[in-house]
Amino acid sequence: MPRLGAKYPIEFDIFSQPLADYQTDEYFARDLPVAPAVMVGEEIVVEGSDIAEEKLEAAICRHLGLPEPEPAKKGFLSRLFGR
């Protein structure tokens, strides 16, 4: 995220709590996403799992009204092994 923060005019707020705090009635009453989660503006980009940097960058671009970056081209070995 720091690299994307340097690339785009956007601020990051990172919240970290013990897992038990995310499982309380008070947390669910606030209608927040299931942790771990990533929100860009009011959009919940992902909840309950990690996110690829490319997807996060695309969400940031949508939020800022910028065109989404082109997907990185895969090399021969990545195509061969499906990565």
Side-chain angles (χ1 to χ4, degrees):
M1 283 192 266
R3 190 174 68 75
L4 293 175
K7 189 173 180 180
Y8 298 102
I10 193 166
E11 292 181 27
F12 291 95
D13 289 327
I14 299 172
F15 297 95
S16 179
Q17 300 176 7
L19 182 59
D21 290 353
Y22 291 111
Q23 298 173 339
T24 63
D25 291 335
E26 292 81 19
Y27 182 81
F28 288 110
R30 295 189 322 200
D31 200 30
L32 294 172
V34 176
V38 174
M39 293 179 69
V40 177
E42 297 296 317
E43 175 188 1
I44 299 172
V45 181
V46 67
E47 62 180 314
S49 66
D50 291 332
I51 185 171
E53 184 175 329
E54 295 82 20
K55 290 184 181 183
L56 178 58
E57 186 171 7
I60 291 170
C61 289
R62 282 193 306 272
H63 178 72
L64 296 174
L66 301 172
E68 293 184 21
E70 294 291 323
K73 293 184 178 182
K74 291 187 174 185
F76 173 75
L77 291 177
S78 295
R79 288 192 309 254
L80 181 66
F81 293 109
R83 295 182 184 178

